[in-house]
Amino acid sequence: MAALLSPEEWTALLLSLKVSIIAVGTSLPLGIWVAVVLARARMPGLWLLNALVHLPLILPPVVTGYALLLTFGRKGPVGALLERYLGLTFAFQWTGAVLAAAVMSFPLMVRAIRLAVEAVDPKLEQAASTLGASRLWVFLTVTLPLILPGVIAGLILAFAKAMGEFGATITFVANIPGRTQTLPSAIYAFLQVPGADMQAARLAAISVAVAVGALVVSEVVARRVARRIGGA
């Protein structure tokens, strides 16, 4: 692949992989917790949490990116504090691309895991509780193994979504080659240059291959894990 891609294209691909892996990996624990809360909790105002989680799927990505810029930009209420006390900057940095990808892919992850949690028979967890196991131990030894196919499916689908994220990313961190230019941003940049159709088509083909590959891997891995759990 290194021979097929130019250094600029290769840099954009590697940055997309880096951004997607970090975005999905860091948001996974929160995604599991939110999915369990939405599936099992019974409390007033839960609809608001559900709406906030799925809001990025409904809003135009540019609006989400603008909201991130207002909140996590250097003059934003959160961004200013993070830069002052932790030296962490998101706006126009690759870390901002990670944040944008995490926000946009989070609803898909939560939805897949939530469906898996709702499919678990609560009686199995109750049986473990009656034997004296704590809630955390019940979750780690009973619930988590049973929802593992959903976790894997959500993880891979979120990764594919993060790889293809464009609108929120370019609004929040711009399109700086070698710094914030991910694969979709590079495709967009090539489309603005006369005679660069082949480069854009090449990167688009890679994006399609990654997305299809992620869907296939998600289905295969989830089925294998489900079979192992069913035969345990």
Side-chain angles (χ1 to χ4, degrees), residues 47-71:
W47 64 270
L48 181 59
L49 174 61
N50 186 55
L52 289 175
V53 168
H54 292 89
L55 199 58
L57 289 180
I58 303 172
L59 290 176
V62 174
V63 174
T64 302
Y66 182 58
L68 290 174
L69 185 61
L70 292 178
T71 306

Side-chain angles (χ1 to χ4, degrees), residues 94-115:
W94 72 270
T95 50
V98 170
L99 180 60
V103 169
M104 295 301 295
S105 62
F106 192 71
L108 294 178
M109 178 190 296
V110 170
R111 183 165 183 79
I113 300 174
R114 179 183 178 179
L115 292 175

Side-chain angles (χ1 to χ4, degrees), residues 179-219:
R179 187 171 167 184
T180 64
Q181 188 178 75
T182 57
L183 204 58
S185 300
I187 294 174
Y188 175 79
F190 281 128
L191 290 175
Q192 310 307 308
V193 179
D197 295 341
M198 287 302 297
Q199 291 93 324
R202 191 160 54 226
L203 293 183
I206 294 175
S207 297
V208 172
V210 170
V212 173
L215 291 174
V216 172
V217 170
S218 172
E219 187 68 19

Side-chain angles (χ1 to χ4, degrees), residues 61-87:
V62 174
V63 174
T64 302
Y66 182 58
L68 290 174
L69 185 61
L70 292 178
T71 306
F72 292 93
R74 291 187 172 181
K75 295 183 179 180
V78 179
L81 291 175
L82 291 175
E83 184 176 11
R84 174 179 294 182
Y85 295 106
L86 299 179

